[in-house]
Amino acid sequence: MVNYDHMIVRYGEITLKGKNRGQFVKQLQKNVKHAIKAFPAVKIDARYERMVLTLNGEDYHAVLEVVRKIFGVLSLTPALRTAPDLDSIKATALAYAVELGDQVKTFKVETKRADKNFPLDSMACSREVGAHLLINRQPLSVDVHNPDLRLLVEIKDDAAYISGKTEKAVGGLPIGSGGRAMLMLSGGIDSPVAGYMIMKRGVEIECVHFESPPYTSSRARQKVVDLAEILSHQNGKMVLHIVPFTEIQKQIHDCIPDRYSITVMRRIMIRIVEALRKRREAMAIVTGENLGQVASQTLESMYTINEVTNTPILRPLISMDKNDIIAIARELDTFDISIRPYEDCCTIFKPSSPKTKPRREKVHQFEDAFDFEPMIEKAVQETEKLIFSNRGKKEDALDSLF
Ligand code: ATP
Ligand code: MG
């Protein structure tokens, strides 16, 4: 097996953002650094156009599997580095082809030349390297259409890189480049997927979960903790806010007509998340809502619930099919956690026939009968904060914000 000593990391979408690019590269470099902490020998050289990781003996397969999942990384090319002169390039390309062994019978050489002072043009360089392989590494023949090995020679002014194939990575934008949002995390299938999709757009996420003990069990909480932990792998850290919701749910049950209880409950949830969002200086709320059959997810419901906030509510799953959502959940490894049986705070007081078209005027009328504000404030005050971090240092900035 070729013992790659370098890895070229390409940025993809960052290319589109001309002005902010420097900042994005910096953020990505930071995120990569955190993600590969388990491989301390790796050196990162972040350039404007791409990043080069020097492996220094770390296992390239293991590093590859970590780096390809980092948002903002479009593709990865394991490479051998050599001096940018023709003899070194030829020798390294040959060593590379020899090491690949019998699996390679046909090949093609492509050259990309960033250093225009290199004495040969790209075509000539490819020809020279190709001829060198044909003579010294037999049996081997050229196939320009469907080669076993597409050998890439990249010539920069300070080094040349020989590589075989480019591996696709996750894409998206580096987390931390797009502000912060509060994810309403339920323990179901949808909300972790929604969080993942928004994180992929560069947004840092904090989770908010409503629980109603003793009606909801510690197993239900554990589910949410496990989901938040999985999401923390992308962030490098994660804050999970757990809101005590029992009192409010009981009060809703007592004073709001059944058909409107879900609508009122959702409005109060949003008001609480809104209060937490302000404290955490976040700029949006994320939910796993999906336009469809569920009573609280009709347009009429959203219109009535959304009335309580001006903050953008991001609903990345809004028009997706369930099967596609499940496919992402499986890939994320959240699916098996999400389907563990548990009681959700939304279902324990669930009315038999919730209103599918709740009206704002009606809700106002019902809500006027009881002042929920003190209960809301109390719930916010008593919200528990759990912090997950693989960054090793204490999250000191957090408490100062409260
Ligand atoms: P999910 O699969 O995410 O649970 P769902 O299809 O079950 O979604 P609902 O139960 O109507 O739909 O919830 C819609 C959204 O409201 C969820 O995706 C989540 O963002 C939020 N939500 C629901 N219950 C809770 C909860 N207990 N804590 C925090 N957020 C919640
Ligand atoms: Mg649910």
Side-chain angles (χ1 to χ4, degrees), residues 214-215 245-255 349:
Y215 304 99
F245 208 44
T246 316
E247 239 183 273
I248 291 174
Q249 284 210 293
K250 279 185 169 163
Q251 187 59 47
I252 293 172
H253 190 64
D254 286 349
C255 71
F349 295 103

Side-chain angles (χ1 to χ4, degrees), residues 122-319:
S122 301
M123 290 285 275
C125 180
S126 295
R127 255 197 322 270
E128 285 278 342
V129 174
H132 189 65
L133 296 193
L134 282 173
I135 295 165
N136 295 294
R137 174 11 184 118
Q138 304 217 339
L140 201 59
S141 61
V142 174
D143 180 345
V144 290
H145 300 297
N146 194 20
D148 297 335
L149 170 66
R150 201 177 285 273
L151 192 89
L152 182 64
V153 178
E154 290 185 84
I155 305 169
K156 306 276 171 187
D157 43 12
D158 59 346
Y161 297 93
I162 315 293
S163 58
K165 66 173 178 183
T166 291
E167 308 268 353
K168 229 167 113 56
V170 66
L173 297 167
I175 292 186
S177 62
R180 179 186 291 161
M182 308 303 279
L183 167 67
M184 295 178 65
L185 184 65
S186 69
I189 295 168
D190 300 337
S191 39
V193 173
Y196 176 82
M197 288 174 76
I198 293 300
M199 286 161 91
K200 194 170 171 189
R201 301 314 301 167
V203 176
E204 189 191 330
I205 289 289
E206 290 191 7
C207 302
V208 183
H209 177 68
F210 292 80
E211 68 169 14
S212 299
Y215 304 99
T216 57
S217 67
S218 61
R219 281 180 23 247
R221 170 191 277 232
Q222 190 56 47
K223 256 183 96 166
V224 175
V225 166
D226 291 347
L227 291 171
E229 210 269 323
I230 288 191
L231 292 176
S232 79
H233 297 169
Q234 270 294 339
N235 249 0
K237 65 166 191 204
M238 179 62 76
V239 182
L240 168 60
H241 305 261
I242 299 189
V243 185
F245 208 44
T246 316
E247 239 183 273
I248 291 174
Q249 284 210 293
K250 279 185 169 163
Q251 187 59 47
I252 293 172
H253 190 64
D254 286 349
C255 71
I256 304 289
D258 254 14
R259 283 155 66 73
Y260 269 84
S261 63
I262 296 259
T263 311
V264 171
M265 182 193 79
R266 292 262 179 229
R267 283 166 60 101
I268 293 177
M269 278 181 160
I270 300 283
R271 284 163 69 183
I272 292 172
V273 175
E274 178 61 24
L276 296 169
R277 176 200 69 74
K278 272 194 194 135
R279 292 179 168 211
R280 300 296 297 135
E281 298 178 338
M283 290 180 291
I285 296 167
V286 183
T287 76
E289 286 167 302
N290 182 251
L291 200 53
Q293 317 90 325
V294 189
S296 62
Q297 300 187 21
T298 63
L299 261 192
E300 289 84 355
S301 260
M302 284 182 201
Y303 177 74
T304 298
I305 293 163
N306 217 144
E307 187 188 27
V308 301
T309 183
N310 283 325
T311 301
I313 299 185
L314 310 180
R315 303 176 175 95
L317 312 185
I318 197 72
S319 65

